[in-house]
Amino acid sequence: MAQDLKSVAARLGARLTARVARSRRAPRAPAGGAAPILIGVNCRDLQTLTVVQERFASLASLLPDGWPAVAESGVASGLDARRMQQLGYRLALIGTALMASADPALRLREILDATRTVRP
């Protein structure tokens, strides 16, 4: 089934995302040089819905090299996004921070400005 999903994603030009919330479930890179998928690290405890920021750091070193890692949940500011970038995460899923903001565009601009390596 996983191979079928990869085939469909490849035909559509999409990427699959594997989600991780605990170290024992961290993915391993497949043999044979298979194309990387996105690895989403969720720091939200799905039982209590609280955010456990330390999960990002504890799982970062367990992720396969060369696979784009996504910081999911808990990225609410430019400082949070910069920290994720320093831990090696290349992407962030930012939802609650934008929905709760009185000015979502300003919040997004702050987050992007904090992490941009090339200035416009």
Side-chain angles (χ1 to χ4, degrees):
M1 182 166 159
Q3 192 57 42
D4 291 340
L5 288 173
K6 288 180 185 179
S7 296
V8 170
R11 281 197 308 272
L12 295 174
R15 287 199 177 202
L16 298 176
T17 303
R19 298 185 78 200
V20 179
R22 293 184 178 88
S23 61
R24 64 182 160 80
R25 296 187 64 193
R28 292 184 175 86
I37 61 174
L38 298 173
I39 304 296
V41 175
N42 191 343
C43 78
R44 188 176 303 281
D45 181 313
L46 298 179
Q47 300 298 319
T48 65
L49 299 180
T50 58
V51 172
V52 183
Q53 284 279 345
E54 299 77 26
R55 191 173 288 168
F56 287 127
S58 67
L59 292 174
S61 65
L62 303 176
L63 302 177
D65 289 336
W67 287 34
V70 183
E72 297 180 355
S73 300
V75 180
S77 68
L79 186 61
D80 291 338
R82 171 62 86 171
R83 182 171 169 258
M84 296 307 106
Q85 189 176 47
Q86 291 168 343
L87 288 170
Y89 292 88
R90 292 176 46 196
L91 304 157
L93 180 62
I94 305 166
T96 303
L98 298 179
M99 292 186 299
S101 177
D103 189 341
L106 181 61
R107 174 62 54 96
L108 182 58
R109 194 171 315 118
E110 175 221 345
I111 291 169
L112 291 173
D113 286 348
T115 57
R116 261 196 195 116
T117 55
V118 176
R119 299 289 175 205

